[in-house]
Amino acid sequence: MSSTNSPADVDSGRSVRETPLLEVKGLRKYYPIRRGFLSRTRGYVKAVDGVDFTIQRGETLGLVGESGCGKSTTGRCLLRAVDATEGQVRYWISDETGWTDIYQLAGEDLRRFRQFAQMIFQDPFSSLNPRMTLLQIVGEPLTVNRLASGEELEHRVADLLRRVGLRPEYMKRYPHAFSGGQRQRIGIARSLALEPNFIVCDEPVSALDVSIQAQTLNLLQDLQEEFHLTYLFVAHDLNVVAHIADRVAVMYVGKMVELAESDDLFDNPLHPYTEVLMSSVLPPDPRIKTSQIEMTGEVADPANPPSGCYFHPRCQYAEDRCRHETPELREVRPSHFVSCHRAEEITLQGVI
Amino acid sequence: MTPQDDQRLLEIRNLKVQFALEEGTVRAVDGMNLAIDRGQTVGVVGESGCGKSVTAQALLRIVPKPGEIVEGELLYYRPTDGDGGNLHVTDLAGLPANGDEMRDIRGNEIVMVFQEPMSSLAPVYTIGHQIMEAIGLHQHVGKQEARERTLEILQRVGMPQPSQTIDSYPHQMSGGMRQRGMIAIALSCNPTLLIADEPTTALDVTTQGQILELMQKLQNDFGMAIMFITHDLGVVAKMTEYVTVMYLGKVVESADVDTIFHDPKHPYTKALLRSMPRMGVKSRRLEAVTGMVPDPFHVPPGCPFHPRCEDFIAGRCDAEEPPWIETEPGHGVRCVLYE
């Protein structure tokens, strides 16, 4: 991985070791709940509720959490695949342009940004158009942006297919002729077509078989090295995230509760929710007996979250303060951020 | 055939299920053998298309058309009432799929919990209605008693506020609650065998743990055997006593759970275990299994795993079907390396 070790400082004063590629501030995405004859807005589902983080050039940031925690929505807001309700998403596209806030972009500028950042989707069965050949699917970004056509297009698509481990001879076939793992490679080839710098990988391996997962993860790592890619890796499988991510962020009900270097997070979690998540992972070894920390109740409703810390009704360490005061994400140890009032007092169990 | 001991519940012998399609014949299950004892938990592991779910469908005789059981026996050692606890051996494969006996067994003695709790519950009926339906079908009880039993079973599966949830529709419940509802339907009668087909795959990790623990507890209470179908090796390690590994319709290895994880023999089992990323174990690259699972119309000749196998022997693995070898009692492997 290429990284210049200049201690660039992002104005928030956080310690940053490398050069940032992306900075997110106060990101919010609220979906209105409309009811009744006049479709009046009766409230909001707070899918993403005030999230701040930065992503360094060349790193993989893992984003984990349970379904409905807002991790996919966060990923989509970074690409303007859905528009955020509030907040800033700034990219350092090149040294000449400096910071670009993508929510200020329109027209031609926005279209140019879309070459810079791409997405890999979860389900390789529904994310490929069954009526298009591989050439059309992988070549579409190039055609739409008028970057290649005719023979040149076929050459570029052949290169891309080869790069992800597919045979270029298959270019004229349709997606149905391929297995799940191969389809995911098609999706990856397509996301690489415009030579992006940044890719949001939304659960890229969770629909794949065990033996295909490892291949795909290795491929993503190889491509990262070759093309100096930066990844936001959204996933629910902690084993996968622990393997691929340099840093990991944990989300719960639209908020980021912890963010740290991968090893540090798994060895010394500071948020009780992270501890519960890790205790739920079943080790593939019958000799290791783990005991899952019991959690009462269900995940909070993002339309009607509890007071104070959103996790307090299920937290075994909760005290009075947690019910009233909302904790802020703060740096408790160098590069280890957590939003918990009691982070300094409690000792949590990491990976065994 | 008489049972060796009265602990035997089920024996699958040389089961073959085929789908005759326009493109060719798919041998979904191609010579499956498996024995399950009373109260035992057996894991059936494999990737998509290996035939693990079709095996379960065959047991319940619900293989979708044009699938057909073309060979093999499904011997079910059925307890008979009032016969001094004697066992009556029934070959499920020989029964008419919609005959009285099969209908009496299916959903009553042999039950199934499916992967997707949203699509396997009827959206237009309350969960209580669906449990009462199962009770009404198999037991002769009145409406009032059926409702009481339903409340009791909802309580036993840990459904929050059973007296209210009984009148809830599936869309009003979370994924974990729906799966508890599914388990409640399955356990509403008195099953001897529960087939759980990827019961936690669609659930979050924290919910997965709760459902697995519930299943263990209920197994202790009810004493039924569980056939656990999954691709998740973590779930297998936690839940099962005996494991069967399948690849493209064939059993490639079976042994007790500790042996499978600590002394695997078949190259496929070994490769699967090595390829898993594990939290807390840092490695730059994963040791991936090379190649893709072949498509079901073009199963390679000889050992179906040979194109992806590291120990491939040219002229043998691609020519002859490997024999089933018992390396030690209870540990079998289908591979020429152990001849």
Side-chain angles (χ1 to χ4, degrees):
Chain A
M1 244 173 283
S2 80
S3 58
T4 47
N5 276 328
S6 65
D9 194 7
V10 188
D11 50 10
S12 63
R14 289 174 183 173
S15 61
V16 174
R17 292 172 300 104
E18 294 162 352
T19 43
L21 176 89
L22 163 65
E23 192 190 47
V24 178
K25 270 191 191 166
L27 185 71
R28 286 188 166 77
K29 177 65 191 175
Y30 292 178
Y31 289 98
I33 307 169
R34 293 186 211 279
R35 293 244 168 78
F37 178 62
L38 293 171
S39 300
R40 287 217 178 91
T41 302
R42 299 293 159 91
Y44 291 96
V45 171
K46 298 172 178 173
V48 181
D49 196 11
V51 161
D52 308 82
F53 60 94
T54 54
I55 299 180
Q56 309 300 327
R57 201 168 286 272
E59 83 165 337
T60 301
L61 177 69
L63 190 54
V64 299
E66 294 180 279
S67 44
C69 73
K71 55 188 192 301
S72 289
T73 307
T74 303
R76 280 160 199 238
C77 287
L78 299 192
L79 302 180
R80 284 192 68 178
V82 293
D83 276 343
T85 310
E86 215 183 292
Q88 255 191 358
V89 178
R90 302 198 300 166
Y91 285 85
W92 189 273
I93 289 180
S94 70
D95 289 339
E96 293 87 69
T97 53
W99 287 112
T100 308
D101 183 343
I102 57 163
Y103 282 91
Q104 307 296 329
L105 296 180
E108 188 60 19
D109 293 333
L110 181 60
R111 207 176 59 82
R112 254 201 312 272
F113 160 74
R114 299 210 183 277
Q115 300 184 22
F116 182 83
Q118 287 287 322
M119 181 146 184
I120 298 170
F121 296 92
Q122 167 171 9
D123 183 353
F125 290 85
S126 59
S127 58
L128 302 178
N129 186 338
R131 289 164 184 258
M132 286 163 76
T133 63
L134 262 57
L135 175 63
Q136 290 170 318
I137 291 171
V138 177
E140 192 177 34
L142 295 167
T143 343
V144 167
N145 288 287
R146 296 196 196 91
L147 295 170
S149 63
E151 218 168 282
E152 159 78 3
L153 182 70
E154 287 197 19
H155 276 301
R156 304 243 328 233
V157 170
D159 275 348
L160 285 163
L161 290 179
R162 231 175 271 126
R163 193 56 211 86
V164 298
L166 291 171
R167 304 198 4 214
E169 299 91 287
Y170 295 159
M171 203 187 283
K172 300 282 165 66
R173 294 201 193 175
Y174 292 87
H176 72 83
F178 297 90
S179 68
Q182 288 169 322
R183 285 188 216 201
Q184 197 56 302
R185 285 169 191 258
I186 300 169
I188 293 172
R190 178 188 166 103
S191 74
L192 291 174
L194 295 174
E195 296 170 19
N197 288 54
F198 175 63
I199 300 183
V200 173
C201 311
D202 190 0
E203 302 269 14
V205 298
S206 52
L208 305 179
D209 275 318
V210 189
S211 77
I212 306 301
Q213 274 196 6
Q215 291 177 1
T216 313
L217 290 172
N218 283 344
L219 174 66
L220 286 172
Q221 283 182 320
D222 292 344
L223 295 171
Q224 180 169 47
E225 271 175 37
E226 192 176 334
F227 299 111
H228 309 296
L229 296 170
T230 305
Y231 290 142
L232 176 74
F233 197 96
V234 179
H236 70 280
D237 186 332
L238 291 188
N239 285 317
V240 168
V241 171
H243 172 75
I244 202 160
D246 301 304
R247 287 189 307 148
V248 176
V250 184
M251 284 185 75
Y252 184 75
V253 196
K255 286 193 186 289
M256 199 168 275
V257 296
E258 189 162 0
L259 171 64
E261 302 270 326
S262 180
D263 293 346
D264 194 21
L265 184 97
F266 286 100
D267 292 339
N268 310 297
L270 290 176
H271 198 283
Y273 178 63
T274 313
E275 184 190 37
V276 172
L277 266 191
M278 289 198 301
S279 81
S280 313
V281 176
L282 301 171
D285 185 345
R287 290 184 192 172
I288 303 174
K289 295 281 174 232
T290 53
S291 58
Q292 187 187 347
I293 297 167
E294 257 192 61
M295 200 161 52
T296 48
E298 301 270 338
V299 178
D301 177 4
N304 186 21
S307 61
C309 170
Y310 288 180
F311 188 58
H312 87 256
R314 315 179 76 190
C315 180
Q316 55 174 335
Y317 307 100
E319 52 181 23
D320 205 37
R321 188 179 170 198
C322 307
R323 279 170 210 111
H324 308 298
E325 277 176 55
T326 308
E328 293 295 320
L329 193 69
R330 61 206 168 91
E331 190 166 8
V332 172
R333 284 206 298 261
S335 318
H336 196 144
F337 298 84
V338 64
S339 71
C340 175
H341 295 305
R342 303 194 61 198
E344 286 90 348
E345 314 158 34
I346 51 180
T347 313
L348 304 180
Q349 175 77 55
V351 172
I352 310 149
Chain B
M1 174 69 207
T2 51
Q4 289 86 354
D5 54 357
D6 55 2
Q7 281 310 302
R8 191 46 56 84
L9 176 70
L10 187 85
E11 260 178 66
I12 302 176
R13 289 201 193 157
N14 195 31
L15 175 70
K16 292 188 180 173
V17 183
Q18 299 184 353
F19 290 76
L21 302 172
E22 268 173 41
E23 301 94 312
T25 300
V26 175
R27 298 164 186 274
V29 182
D30 197 21
M32 163 90 176
N33 291 292
L34 178 69
I36 302 175
D37 288 342
R38 276 171 206 289
Q40 194 184 28
T41 308
V42 172
V44 179
V45 192
E47 299 179 276
S48 43
C50 75
K52 54 191 196 301
S53 292
V54 176
T55 305
Q57 290 170 342
L59 276 173
L60 288 169
R61 299 300 309 278
I62 51 168
V63 178
K65 289 234 162 345
E68 239 186 316
I69 299 176
V70 294
E71 216 184 304
E73 291 170 307
L74 300 167
L75 300 181
Y76 173 45
Y77 296 91
R78 194 177 182 193
T80 43
D81 295 327
D83 200 9
N86 277 347
L87 293 174
H88 166 68
V89 186
T90 309
D91 180 8
L92 301 180
L95 295 177
N98 284 318
D100 284 346
E101 195 173 1
M102 198 61 230
R103 293 176 74 127
D104 195 26
I105 293 171
R106 184 195 307 131
N108 187 24
E109 293 173 38
I110 302 181
V111 297
M112 187 151 170
V113 173
F114 297 89
Q115 169 172 1
E116 225 322 309
M118 193 59 209
S119 52
S120 42
L121 288 171
V124 293
Y125 294 109
T126 61
I127 185 67
H129 180 100
Q130 297 182 54
I131 299 172
M132 283 185 269
E133 185 187 11
I135 294 175
L137 266 177
H138 296 292
Q139 294 168 20
H140 303 284
V141 294
K143 252 194 167 168
Q144 192 53 40
E145 199 187 336
R147 193 176 168 91
E148 273 161 30
R149 285 203 196 178
T150 302
L151 275 173
E152 188 200 318
I153 195 89
L154 283 175
Q155 219 145 30
R156 290 184 81 160
V157 299
M159 190 73 92
Q161 289 137 3
S163 50
Q164 287 165 33
T165 321
I166 191 170
D167 295 317
S168 301
Y169 290 90
H171 74 268
Q172 297 168 315
M173 308 195 285
S174 69
M177 280 163 75
R178 284 186 211 130
Q179 201 56 295
R180 284 176 200 273
M182 276 300 297
I183 294 173
I185 294 175
L187 297 184
S188 58
C189 300
N190 291 304
T192 54
L193 175 66
L194 171 70
I195 302 171
D197 188 359
E198 305 267 12
T200 57
T201 307
L203 304 176
D204 278 318
V205 274
T206 53
T207 319
Q208 162 174 291
Q210 292 166 3
I211 295 292
L212 293 179
E213 247 145 61
L214 171 72
M215 290 182 71
Q216 280 179 330
K217 180 183 151 286
L218 293 172
Q219 187 178 25
N220 282 338
D221 296 354
F222 289 82
M224 77 264 180
I226 300 182
M227 179 171 161
F228 221 107
I229 297 173
T230 182
H231 67 277
D232 186 328
L233 296 169
V235 172
V236 174
K238 180 183 167 74
M239 295 297 287
T240 64
E241 298 161 63
Y242 193 82
V243 182
T244 285
V245 184
M246 290 183 78
Y247 187 77
L248 282 177
K250 291 198 160 65
V251 174
V252 295
E253 185 163 6
S254 38
D256 64 88
V257 67
D258 193 74
T259 308
I260 285 285
F261 282 89
H262 290 280
D263 186 25
K265 292 280 192 262
H266 199 281
Y268 176 63
T269 317
K270 290 184 189 173
L272 263 194
L273 287 166
R274 271 201 310 265
S275 71
M276 272 197 74
R278 292 181 195 199
M279 215 167 63
V281 180
K282 262 286 157 193
S283 59
R284 183 70 194 103
R285 277 184 80 80
L286 295 169
E287 291 184 56
V289 190
T290 52
M292 300 280 169
V293 180
D295 87 81
F297 301 108
H298 302 100
V299 175
C303 170
F305 187 59
H306 83 257
R308 308 176 73 190
C309 184
E310 286 184 353
D311 304 308
F312 166 62
I313 305 166
R316 287 210 66 189
C317 300
D318 53 357
E320 54 189 270
E321 193 155 314
W324 180 254
I325 294 152
E326 294 245 327
T327 55
E328 57 202 329
H331 187 179
V333 56
R334 190 180 297 283
C335 181
V336 295
L337 292 175
Y338 300 94
E339 272 183 312

